[in-house]
Amino acid sequence: MENHLTHEASAFINFRNYNFRDPRSHGYRWVDIKHLRIPAEPAEAHELLAALISHEQFRDDYAGGGVLPEGSRHGPYWLRLVTLGAYETVSREESASILWGWVNHFEDVPAKLGADLQQEAFDRLSGADHIYYLSDLGDEAIHDWGRVHEHFHEFVLIDRTAGRITLLVAADD
């Protein structure tokens, strides 16, 4: 099914573009969002997740290198160790709680950042039919320089109404 997922668009929200009172609160924090069109033929949610994991857009270390079609890293992890079993199904409420907890880690976010996050991330969470959350894979899965990410949260959103699967990563480095 990998060949049937088509990368449509991406969005990147960099916290450095907003004004905070506490300088620790923005550092190198960001949300990266990749949208892929899902095929018209019916597919189970786990099949779509497997297709995403094998897609070249998934080969991103989220450390400035971008997508590397032959890459061996995904975020802080070795790509080969990111499997279907590494994801858990979470509710809309639980996913929003995890993400808001990370967003407001230091202090409440400025209104403009909150509005951008609402539009690009939280509205998509609330519209998803199915949400997967990447579990902490443990020390053995972290690649040679993967600890550059202090926090790494990954959600996979399946929205059949929009015909889209979205990879949403929120991290600090």
Side-chain angles (χ1 to χ4, degrees):
M1 177 171 303
E2 173 199 348
N3 297 335
H4 298 291
L5 294 180
T6 306
H7 182 249
E8 283 187 316
S10 296
F12 187 78
I13 301 171
N14 188 337
F15 282 39
R16 288 183 293 174
N17 298 335
Y18 301 89
N19 293 320
F20 287 86
R21 290 181 304 276
D22 183 344
R24 297 174 304 145
S25 67
H26 58 94
Y28 296 100
R29 301 178 78 211
W30 44 263
V31 177
D32 186 284
I33 304 164
K34 294 179 174 84
H35 303 290
L36 294 94
R37 174 75 38 209
I38 59 177
E41 65 267 10
E44 297 293 325
H46 69 277
E47 293 173 311
L48 293 171
L49 177 59
L52 176 66
I53 292 170
S54 66
H55 198 278
E56 76 174 20
Q57 287 294 315
F58 198 77
R59 290 162 168 61
D60 193 332
D61 57 29
Y62 297 101
V67 173
L68 300 171
E70 302 302 319
S72 61
R73 294 172 180 87
H74 176 75
Y77 303 115
W78 290 111
L79 179 64
R80 71 181 184 280
L81 299 175
V82 181
T83 64
L84 285 174
Y87 289 85
E88 60 182 281
T89 301
V90 293
S91 69
R92 293 175 180 139
E93 297 77 19
E94 186 177 0
S95 61
S97 176
I98 292 167
L99 191 55
W100 273 123
W102 173 81
V103 165
N104 291 316
H105 181 72
F106 294 104
E107 64 180 301
D108 291 342
V109 299
K112 173 71 170 113
L113 175 57
D116 289 347
L117 288 167
Q118 185 65 48
Q119 178 183 350
E120 293 294 337
F122 292 99
D123 288 351
R124 296 183 196 290
L125 285 171
S126 66
D129 303 313
H130 205 97
I131 303 171
Y132 289 102
Y133 181 66
L134 180 61
S135 303
D136 181 354
L137 300 181
D139 289 341
E140 65 280 353
I142 295 175
H143 63 71
D144 47 349
W145 48 267
R147 295 211 187 279
V148 69
H149 298 290
E150 185 175 343
H151 297 99
F152 186 85
H153 298 283
E154 176 176 312
F155 300 91
V156 175
L157 320 173
I158 298 172
D159 184 340
R160 293 187 188 277
T161 303
R164 176 182 299 140
I165 187 168
T166 298
L167 177 59
L168 188 153
V169 172
D172 354 0
D173 50 37

